[in-house]
Amino acid sequence: MSTLVFVYGTLRTGELRAHVVSRCINRGIFRTEPKYTLLDFGPFPGLVEGGNTAVVGEVLEVDNDILQELDWIEGHPNFYRRQAISLEGIDGAVAYIAVDSTAVDKVTKIASGDWVNRNVAVSSVN
């Protein structure tokens, strides 16, 4: 049995912990519905509910062994909580949501919603 997991930070292709999920099936790049905030915790991001950002990530099919490993890496359920996520174009995925939503006012927000391109300036069109 597999679980669809939306990864938006260090587990994405080319990132620090991508090796953990390298044998999983990658369904591609997806965006959340624009109702989240992506935070920059320095070496890794945190996704929190609330806000108006569409966060970019990859959806992976993971088996139970990898899911348990991800739970351990993400500190589920105390640091990050695995829960259903609203994605555009795919149903039934879960993501690791930061438990401490008070961090929103204490750290930098990634306005683009894309951890991989976090240093790229976001421009607005008038």
Side-chain angles (χ1 to χ4, degrees), residues 6-84:
F6 177 73
V7 296
Y8 53 86
T10 62
L11 291 165
R12 285 181 64 185
T13 301
E15 293 296 310
L16 181 65
R17 289 194 167 148
H19 66 279
V20 174
V21 292
S22 63
R23 61 184 165 99
C24 298
I25 297 170
N26 188 322
R27 291 271 198 98
I29 303 285
F30 289 87
R31 290 183 183 274
T32 67
E33 292 183 5
K35 60 182 188 178
Y36 298 94
T37 300
L38 189 61
L39 305 175
D40 187 342
F41 289 134
F44 56 89
L47 180 68
V48 294
E49 294 177 298
N52 57 7
T53 302
V55 176
V56 178
E58 298 170 21
V59 172
L60 307 175
E61 286 185 41
V62 305
D63 63 25
N64 194 49
D65 290 340
I66 295 292
L67 189 62
Q68 289 179 358
E69 185 173 358
L70 294 178
D71 282 352
W72 181 82
I73 288 169
E74 302 294 354
H76 170 72
N78 299 314
F79 190 69
Y80 287 94
R81 179 180 57 252
R82 178 172 31 96
Q83 67 181 56

